[in-house]
Amino acid sequence: MSDPFRRGFLRTMVLGGAALGGGLAEVSRARPAPAPTPGALRSMTAHVKPITADERRARLDKLQSLMRERKITALLVESGSSLDYFTGVKWWRSERTTAALLPAQGQTVIVTPYFEEPSIRETLQVGADVRTWKEDESPFDLLAGAAREHGESGGVLAVEPTTRFFIWDRVGRALNGARELASGEMLVNACRMHKSPAELALMQAANQATLAGIRHVHGRIEAGMSALDINTLLVDALTRLGVEADPALVLLNEASAFPHGSTKPQVVRPGSTILIDSTSQLHGLQADMSRTWFFGEPGKRQRELWNTVKRGQEIALETARVGVPVGEIDRAVRVYYESLGWSRDYRLPGLSHRTGHGIGMDGHEAPYLVRNDRTPLEPGMCFSDEPGLYVPGEFGVRLEDCWTMTETGPKTFTPLAKSVEEPV
C-alpha cells in the first residue's frame, strides 16, 4: 500500500529515531532486534537484467507515434519516474529544474544545470541534445526554445502529469502563447500502464525477494520488539536479498487499524497483531507486499478477520478478466464484505481504502482498483491486491500481493498467504 508521501514520512521517522507503529519513547526501552544469521540470506535478483537502451528507444517511438496521432507537438517531462522511463535519466526534483522535451518528431532535448551535465549523461540511454543553464540563466527559456523548434506555432505542448506547477507556469510564460499547454496524462498512461516482459521479470524478482524478506522476519519476532526493531531487521534482510528497500510500515496492535500507521508507541506482546507492509525496488521497478499475523495463538476475532481478508483477495482475482472495468474488482470485494455486515462506502469498521493500485516504476500509478475507475483491464497491466479490514481501537488485517493481467487471467507475482497459521 506504499505511496510517495508515506515513503518520505517513513524515511523521516526512521532516520529520526522512530517508526510508525512506534515512537521515540518506545525506541529507548525496546530490546535490540536479533541480527540475521551471517550468510543466511543471499541475493535473489542477480540474474535479472535492467531495462535496455533498445527498450527505452522503443518506448519513445511509441510515444512519438501517439503524439502524431493526436496532433501533439511534444511532451514536457520533469525529472522523476517518467523521465527515467523514456530516457534512462535518474534524477531527483529540486528547485533547480532538470526536464526533457520529447518531440513528436526529432531528437529528445534535455535541459539541466551546467554542473549536472556529466551526471545526467551517466544514466542517459537515448540519443538526446543536452542543453545546460548556468545559475543566473533560465531553464524555462531553454525548454520553450526547444518547444518552438518542434511543430507549428499554436500546437499543443503536453505536460507529464506529475510535473510541478512552477515549471508549467514558467515554460508557458516563456512561450508567450505560442503553444497550448495540456495534460499529458493520457500519453504517459498509454505507454506505462502496459508492462513489457523485461519489466514483468523485474517485478517478479522484486516481489519474490520481498516475500523472502518478510518470511525471514516472521521467524525472528520476539516479545518486546518495537516497530523500529522489526523494520531494521526487514530492511537488512531485503538488502541482502538484492533489492533496494524502503522503510517498511510495521504496525503493531491497535496501530494495525490505521492503514498508514500511528505514532503511538507499540511493542510486541502476547496476542499482538503484526502487520508489515513492505516496498522495494529493483532497477526502478517496484514491489509492494503486506502480511499480517498474530504473536501467539490468534483469538477467534483475529482469525475471523484474517480469513475474511484472504477471501477478499481471492474475490478480487476471481473478478479480474480482460475487458472488465478495474473498478468492478473493488465493487465485488465490497459486496462480499458488506454481506458480512462490514461498513459501506469506504467507512469504518471495514475497508476504508481502494482494493488496490496500479504499480510499475511508481508504487502507485494508474489505473486504480477503486469502484469509479472504468478503465478496462488489459494484458500487461499490474496491480496490488490488498482489500484490508480495519477496526478502530482494536486491530486491522491487510494481505497484499501484486499481480499482472494476462490474456487468460490474473497472474500473481507471489503466492497468496496460505492460512492464519502460515501467513508467509
Side-chain angles (χ1 to χ4, degrees):
M1 193 178 182
S2 166
D3 62 59
F5 172 80
R6 193 210 79 178
R7 286 183 179 181
F9 181 43
L10 274 171
R11 191 173 298 278
T12 299
M13 293 286 286
V14 170
L15 293 178
L20 289 181
L24 291 173
E26 169 197 6
V27 172
S28 66
R29 70 170 186 268
R31 62 190 298 173
T37 305
L41 298 173
R42 294 181 175 84
S43 176
M44 297 175 61
T45 64
H47 65 288
V48 187
K49 304 301 182 186
I51 301 300
T52 65
D54 285 344
E55 182 157 333
R56 284 193 167 83
R57 285 191 286 268
R59 294 168 177 177
L60 279 174
D61 288 344
K62 179 177 180 179
L63 174 67
Q64 289 184 314
S65 177
L66 290 169
M67 287 193 288
R68 290 193 295 269
E69 288 174 8
R70 292 161 173 78
K71 311 300 182 186
I72 294 171
T73 61
L75 176 68
L76 174 64
V77 182
E78 188 189 357
S79 54
S81 60
S82 287
L83 184 62
D84 184 358
Y85 181 85
F86 289 112
T87 72
V89 170
K90 297 170 176 61
W91 208 247
W92 63 90
R93 295 184 177 188
S94 74
E95 78 283 3
R96 292 186 174 104
T97 297
T98 289
L101 196 289
L102 311 178
Q105 298 188 69
Q107 191 175 54
T108 294
V109 175
I110 294 179
V111 170
T112 194
Y114 171 78
F115 58 86
E116 305 289 18
E117 181 181 1
S119 300
I120 292 296
R121 289 191 180 277
E122 282 186 347
T123 54
L124 178 63
Q125 285 192 303
V126 300
D129 178 6
V130 180
R131 303 181 185 181
T132 63
W133 57 279
K134 298 185 177 68
E135 292 280 68
D136 61 347
E137 296 176 331
S138 169
F140 314 109
D141 289 343
L142 291 177
L143 289 164
R148 290 191 190 94
E149 294 167 13
H150 296 281
E152 300 177 359
S153 178
V156 175
L157 172 62
V159 184
E160 198 272 343
T162 70
T163 299
R164 290 171 293 175
F165 175 74
F166 79 87
I167 297 176
W168 280 66
D169 181 55
R170 294 291 295 278
V171 171
R173 282 194 272 166
L175 283 167
N176 196 27
R179 291 286 183 277
E180 174 190 351
L181 271 65
S183 172
E185 183 174 13
M186 173 272 299
L187 291 171
V188 174
N189 287 351
C191 295
R192 289 185 53 176
M193 281 197 307
H194 305 91
K195 275 60 181 182
S196 70
E199 289 176 292
L200 294 173
L202 287 165
M203 294 176 72
Q204 178 84 52
N207 278 277
Q208 288 177 330
T210 302
L211 179 58
I214 296 175
R215 184 177 290 128
H216 176 84
V217 169
H218 174 260
R220 288 162 174 79
I221 301 294
E222 297 179 7
M225 290 178 68
S226 70
L228 181 58
D229 292 332
I230 298 169
N231 179 76
T232 300
L233 186 63
L234 178 60
V235 170
D236 180 82
L238 291 174
T239 301
R240 291 167 183 257
L241 288 163
V243 291
E244 180 183 342
D246 295 302
L249 269 173
V250 180
L251 310 182
L252 305 176
N253 309 317
E254 293 85 351
S256 62
F258 296 74
H260 282 162
S262 165
T263 58
K264 292 182 179 180
Q266 300 282 346
V267 296
V268 177
R269 59 179 187 260
S272 281
T273 299
I274 301 169
L275 193 165
I276 293 180
D277 185 340
S278 179
T279 60
S280 62
Q281 304 172 57
L282 179 60
H283 298 306
L285 275 295
Q286 304 282 333
D288 194 0
M289 176 171 294
S290 300
R291 287 292 185 268
T292 303
W293 65 87
F294 309 102
F295 191 71
E297 181 66 23
K300 179 180 178 182
R301 185 158 170 78
Q302 289 174 321
R303 185 181 296 274
E304 178 183 281
L305 208 66
W306 197 98
N307 287 331
T308 301
V309 172
K310 175 175 171 57
R311 182 60 190 140
Q313 268 201 307
E314 294 167 348
I315 288 170
L317 295 172
E318 290 166 6
T319 307
R321 300 183 304 278
V322 171
V324 170
V326 296
E328 291 304 309
I329 297 174
D330 187 52
R331 191 182 302 275
V333 172
R334 291 181 190 282
V335 166
Y336 169 63
Y337 283 177
E338 290 164 13
S339 74
L340 300 177
W342 293 97
S343 300
R344 301 174 61 88
D345 299 328
Y346 303 90
R347 295 187 177 93
L348 292 170
L351 174 54
S352 52
H353 58 74
R354 59 202 171 203
T355 294
H357 52 80
I359 187 169
M361 289 189 72
D362 288 321
H364 286 194
E365 57 183 50
Y368 295 93
L369 305 186
V370 62
R371 65 186 180 192
N372 63 349
D373 192 328
R374 307 307 294 170
T375 306
L377 276 169
E378 296 176 352
M381 290 180 173
C382 294
F383 303 90
S384 69
D385 176 10
E386 49 177 316
L389 284 172
Y390 310 94
V391 184
E394 295 185 40
F395 69 101
V397 172
R398 182 161 67 248
L399 303 172
E400 177 183 14
D401 295 86
C402 292
W403 57 280
T404 184
M405 194 66 213
T406 75
E407 291 284 0
T408 57
K411 176 183 179 294
T412 59
F413 295 118
T414 47
L416 302 187
K418 290 183 180 179
S419 67
V420 71
E421 289 81 16
E422 295 183 81
V424 293

